[in-house]
Amino acid sequence: MTIQSSHRHITTDHDEIRRWVEGHHGSPARTANTATAGSAGVLRIAVPGHAVGLEHISWHEWFTAFDGQRLALRYPDPHIRGGTSAWFELVHRDIGDGDFA
């Protein structure tokens, strides 16, 4: 699902997220040493120049944890000025900006 609000996108769509991340030269990752038995750890997106302390993981592992932790990706609306920015954040799906079932 994708929501547009206040000039930003909020999405849980795996294909859209993967396209956006790879389009900004990013890759799925987690904070190093945060994975435990039964937990994938603290999810991140590794982008060039900002990957210190991150451990790269597969898209499958990342999306499994992403859905399990009920996260969504929030990023700028690509159709407005500045919308091609690499700014993003992982947010909980229950942020109040929409219904992520």
Side-chain angles (χ1 to χ4, degrees):
M1 171 181 271
T2 300
I3 294 176
Q4 293 180 353
S5 174
S6 301
H7 306 295
R8 65 181 180 248
H9 278 341
I10 302 171
T11 188
T12 58
D13 181 90
H14 293 190
D15 292 331
E16 180 180 351
I17 292 167
R18 187 174 186 158
R19 278 191 309 272
W20 188 89
V21 169
E22 290 176 350
H24 288 83
H25 309 288
S27 60
R30 67 176 158 227
T31 302
N33 303 315
T34 60
T36 61
S39 168
V42 179
L43 295 183
R44 297 287 186 252
I45 296 172
V47 293
H50 300 282
V52 174
L54 297 182
E55 174 184 350
H56 293 272
I57 60 176
S58 71
W59 277 115
H60 175 74
E61 185 176 1
W62 195 90
F63 281 123
T64 298
F66 178 83
D67 290 336
Q69 295 175 25
R70 298 197 36 80
L71 297 174
L73 176 71
R74 180 172 20 197
Y75 66 97
D77 185 333
H79 304 292
I80 64 165
R81 185 171 181 236
T84 58
S85 168
W87 174 90
F88 69 91
E89 65 182 331
L90 295 175
V91 297
H92 196 270
R93 294 180 188 184
D94 299 328
I95 60 174
D97 287 346
D99 179 20
F100 293 95

